[in-house]
Amino acid sequence: MSVANKPRIYNQRMELEAVLENGKAGYREVFNGLWTASFTLPADDPKNEYCKPFNYVEIFDERRRIELFRIVGEDFTRAVKGFRTYACEHVIITLLDDVLFKFHQIGNRGVFTPEAINYVLSFQTTQNWRLGRCDFNHQFLYKWESENLLAALFSIPRPFINKWHFTYDTTSYPWTFNLVRAETEIGCELRRRKNMQGVTKNMDVKNLVTRIYPLGYGEGDNQLTIASVNNGVPFLDADTIPIYGVKQSIWTDRRFENADSLMATGSQMLEELKHPYVSYSVESIDLFKRTHDEFDEFREGKMVRVIDRADGIDLDTRIMEIYKPDVTTADIVVVIANKDRNVAGSIAALQERARINETYAQGSETPQHIPFADNAEPGFPAVFEFFIDAGMVNINQARLRVRLEPYRAFSRAIRGGGGVTSTTSSGGGTTQTSTSGGGTTATTTQQNTLTHTTTQQAVQSPTTSTTSTQTPTTSTQAQQAATTQNGGGGTSGASNQTVTGSGGFGTGQHTGYAGSFINFSTVSSTPSQHNHTINQHQHSYQLIAHTHGMAHTHIISAHSHQLTIPGHSHTVTIPGHSHSVTIPAHSHSVTIPAHGHSVTIPAHSHNVTIPPHDHGITLPDHTHDIEFGIVTGERAESISIRVDGNTVPITGSLDDINIIPFLRTDGGGRIVRNAWHRLEIIPNTRTRIAACVFLSVFTNSRGGENL
């Protein structure tokens, strides 16, 4: 073997420290288990100083790199020549260095397998490992308590129905962890007279199980079973009962607090245990050293075809283990089996080292009495809410006791705030009064008195104003008025009177009576309008400009005037004006003479009609003193009960009512935890209700602080 394929030692920082030229190595590969290796060095080899605990060693089988291991122990042997043997474990063992302290939970709906793996790996003190490939995407609920990371990681695929396979890549750092589907195609062959030298068959029926009772968290009657998700049946039966009969076993894993996950894992366990364990240890020749053909390479997890006509062996199975004590030879032992020897054999060994089962918290049964009392009436039930904590693993009992008492009040008056109150409306009507017999009432005599008057100061009454208006005119038809006749012959009073004037117009008036004279004593230089009134009418005439000479007289003989008055109308315009009345200061004096009154009331009756109406009363803001005291009233004869909206039938006494069937549940039929539950009691009349809810629960011991 070349030096290149000798064991190599690395320190904890993954720095190469030595190549063991004198080292001889061997290894054991276990399907989904912990790989181990060992190597020896002469006792006097100076490179023993590098083989310290927790240093790393890289093992090769000629051209094939086996894996990276960690030194975990040392044995010294001396015969003729002394040598040292070092025990090693696969570096996945580094996950054993860290723990999930106290309680941890992840998974269920919406949380998939890769997230659960990464959650565990996130607790590494030194991030040696990371998740690579993951072929599964389940949504199981996982719970761990004070568990090492390796056991937690290996427990993740346990509920899977399909075969899984752990693979690793330690050629780069951080190292990579893969969870892949196990191979189903034949990948190698063991055939007599080819590479098979000897076969040892082993059948073990001691662990055969055809009926399994999975148990999870808790103890006694409060231990988790699968009955709630298995039609009330707490066990699972295998299809091999007709062949082997009923072989019962109880499988307990207190890490499970969810019935679905417990049942899935229990089904997987039963699948592994329903047949006898049959294994073959095949001593073989490692032809891969010569052919380098992948079909000749043996690796754990590969499907192998085993053919031995002489012994009647012809089967396809999986390689469960490979053991090669010395990589310098071609001898190899291949262990094949119809199933895993132990579904979690390696994990069980690790758990035993950590003794994690002893660190799991259990719990105890706890009684709770929750009393309450309140007044109630049909429209206002007594309402009570009680809380069921998430730590209540099992609810063994939930019972209700009710007692009906007289309605109770504690005062007789309360404070009032005032306001306006309207009475109800009245319909009105007519009220007949009693009838009076009538009669004459006696009068009293009043002496003659003088009443005092009051004096009024002079005041001016406000005037009213009117705007200028024009009265409508009246029209008349044209007509000819009869003229009056004058006897004429009259002369002026002075025959020698001279009337002088200029060329203007003169004006004057005369009355048409006989013998009258007209004296033109005024002469105007401008045209003038002359108005003559004759027998209640006027004449209008114009004198042209003229002069009078010497004194003379005018003789007007008797004559008459004929006037034609055309049709016309009159218009009167009244301008805007106001009126003002002034009342002077004055007083009034009234004298009442002595007199008496006599009233005669005839027999009669009164009818009073009241129309429909209402009354409004205004109360000012005010307070009332409280009159303290307990006052009791009526008591109900019957009630109805609702729990979380579900009606509880009452068929007997109110002293012991089971309310478990009516509490709100989740999709799996489990009473909802970490939630309030509502209880309503509705009486048939006003009453006081005294009640008590009794819970008997099994609680775990998580969630508290050391105070």
Side-chain angles (χ1 to χ4, degrees), residues 604-645:
H604 65 281
S605 63
H606 300 277
N607 288 328
V608 180
T609 300
I610 303 174
H613 63 283
D614 57 21
H615 303 275
I617 302 172
T618 300
L619 299 177
D621 193 16
H622 62 283
T623 61
H624 298 276
D625 292 335
I626 297 176
E627 182 183 352
F628 295 100
I630 297 177
V631 181
T632 59
E634 63 263 52
R635 176 169 54 191
E637 298 297 327
S638 63
I639 60 172
S640 59
I641 300 173
R642 287 197 297 263
V643 176
D644 287 341

Side-chain angles (χ1 to χ4, degrees), residues 202-466:
N202 179 36
M203 177 181 288
D204 184 2
V205 298
K206 294 191 296 295
N207 293 321
L208 187 144
V209 175
T210 58
R211 175 176 291 173
I212 191 171
Y213 289 81
L215 294 176
Y217 180 86
E219 59 187 19
D221 291 339
N222 295 295
Q223 192 157 13
L224 178 66
T225 72
I226 64 171
S228 62
V229 294
N230 192 40
N231 299 319
V233 179
F235 57 82
L236 297 169
D237 279 344
D239 56 5
T240 56
I241 288 180
I243 302 173
Y244 305 111
V246 176
K247 308 297 179 184
Q248 302 184 76
S249 179
I250 296 173
W251 168 67
T252 302
D253 191 333
R254 288 188 170 88
R255 290 172 296 179
F256 287 93
E257 297 183 22
N258 179 277
D260 289 316
S261 296
L262 180 65
M263 183 171 176
T265 306
S267 298
Q268 179 66 18
M269 292 288 294
L270 184 62
E271 190 67 23
E272 298 291 340
L273 298 173
K274 69 181 183 180
H275 291 291
Y277 178 78
V278 179
S279 66
Y280 297 86
S281 293
V282 180
E283 297 176 3
S284 180
I285 302 297
D286 187 2
L287 297 179
F288 181 72
K289 285 180 172 292
R290 300 176 184 175
T291 65
H292 302 296
D293 185 347
E294 186 177 348
F295 196 75
D296 291 329
E297 181 183 25
F298 300 123
R299 300 296 301 266
E300 53 84 27
K302 291 182 71 173
M303 292 296 293
V304 61
R305 176 162 292 155
V306 184
I307 300 174
D308 185 353
R309 307 294 186 192
D311 295 324
I313 300 173
D314 188 354
L315 57 90
D316 295 339
T317 188
R318 192 178 305 279
I319 298 177
M320 308 305 297
E321 189 175 324
I322 293 174
Y323 174 51
K324 197 169 190 179
D326 187 351
V327 296
T328 62
T329 70
D331 296 333
I332 188 171
V333 177
V334 179
V335 178
I336 58 176
N338 61 339
K339 59 181 177 179
D340 294 352
R341 180 64 179 179
N342 186 334
V343 176
S346 299
I347 302 173
L350 294 172
Q351 290 175 347
E352 182 60 27
R353 286 161 59 178
R355 302 184 66 81
I356 63 171
N357 226 21
E358 296 180 4
T359 66
Y360 267 69
Q362 297 306 302
S364 62
E365 187 174 50
T366 304
Q368 293 185 0
H369 294 82
I370 311 173
F372 75 98
D374 199 1
N375 286 330
E377 56 185 66
F380 294 90
V383 177
F384 174 70
E385 292 187 343
F386 57 95
F387 191 79
I388 295 183
D389 189 78
M392 296 181 181
V393 179
N394 287 342
I395 300 175
N396 298 329
Q397 292 186 69
R399 313 196 77 84
L400 172 66
R401 179 187 178 94
V402 181
R403 184 172 66 248
L404 302 178
E405 299 177 348
Y407 187 86
R408 180 180 294 184
F410 298 93
S411 62
R412 294 183 173 87
I414 60 173
R415 177 177 297 176
V420 177
T421 303
S422 292
T423 65
T424 57
S425 297
S426 171
T430 301
T431 302
Q432 179 70 43
T433 67
S434 59
T435 302
S436 172
T440 301
T441 63
T443 65
T444 60
T445 300
Q446 175 67 42
Q447 297 297 321
N448 184 34
T449 62
L450 176 64
T451 64
H452 295 287
T453 65
T454 60
T455 300
Q456 175 67 44
Q457 298 296 323
V459 298
Q460 183 174 7
S461 65
T463 62
T464 58
S465 299
T466 180

Side-chain angles (χ1 to χ4, degrees), residues 11-138:
N11 61 25
Q12 295 184 49
R13 297 184 300 275
M14 283 303 297
E15 298 170 341
L16 179 63
E17 290 196 332
V19 176
L20 307 180
E21 296 88 348
N22 300 319
K24 294 178 58 176
Y27 62 91
R28 185 187 298 270
E29 296 180 5
V30 180
F31 178 64
N32 289 338
L34 182 63
W35 294 14
T36 59
S38 64
F39 65 92
T40 62
L41 277 177
D44 56 357
D45 194 312
K47 292 187 177 179
N48 279 302
E49 66 172 307
Y50 299 110
C51 302
K52 300 175 181 177
F54 303 118
N55 275 358
Y56 303 113
V57 58
E58 193 173 22
I59 303 296
F60 296 87
D61 187 353
E62 291 192 358
R63 295 186 180 183
R64 185 163 71 96
R65 179 182 183 272
I66 302 303
E67 259 299 345
L68 187 65
F69 298 84
R70 186 169 73 170
I71 299 172
V72 295
E74 176 187 348
D75 293 327
F76 174 73
T77 304
R78 179 171 292 279
V80 177
K81 186 176 181 180
F83 60 92
R84 296 180 184 275
T85 302
Y86 296 92
C88 307
E89 293 175 332
H90 191 277
V91 288
I92 194 69
I93 201 67
T94 56
L95 293 175
L96 199 63
D97 298 343
D98 294 302
V99 298
L100 296 171
F101 184 61
K102 288 196 172 181
F103 181 72
H104 294 260
Q105 175 177 309
I106 191 172
N108 217 344
R109 293 180 178 88
V111 180
F112 300 92
T113 304
E115 295 174 73
I117 294 173
N118 283 323
Y119 179 81
V120 173
L121 296 179
S122 69
F123 285 87
Q124 298 175 89
T125 302
T126 302
Q127 295 295 315
N128 295 316
W129 289 95
R130 63 181 178 84
L131 176 64
R133 173 182 164 189
C134 182
D135 291 346
F136 299 92
N137 217 27
H138 297 301

Side-chain angles (χ1 to χ4, degrees), residues 82 90 97 147 172 193 202 206 290 390 412 456 468 471 491 497 539 554 608 638 640 678 680 683:
H90 191 277
D97 298 343
E147 188 122 51
S172 61
R193 293 178 182 169
N202 179 36
K206 294 191 296 295
R290 300 176 184 175
R412 294 183 173 87
Q456 175 67 44
S468 175
T471 61
T491 63
Q497 182 177 2
H539 296 280
H554 295 275
V608 180
S638 63
S640 59
R678 182 182 178 91
E680 299 174 84

Side-chain angles (χ1 to χ4, degrees), residues 136-191:
F136 299 92
N137 217 27
H138 297 301
Q139 302 178 67
F140 291 110
L141 176 64
Y142 300 100
K143 298 182 180 183
W144 303 285
E145 186 172 359
S146 298
E147 188 122 51
N148 66 73
L149 301 190
L150 182 58
L153 184 65
F154 276 27
S155 70
I156 287 176
R158 291 179 65 183
F160 297 175
I161 299 300
N162 302 107
K163 286 287 186 180
W164 73 92
H165 188 195
F166 293 129
T167 65
Y168 316 101
D169 180 5
T170 58
T171 58
S172 61
Y173 186 84
W175 305 313
T176 301
F177 170 87
N178 303 300
L179 179 58
V180 300
R181 296 183 183 276
E183 295 180 9
T184 56
E185 301 292 330
I186 301 298
C188 55
E189 182 181 66
L190 284 170
R191 183 183 292 269

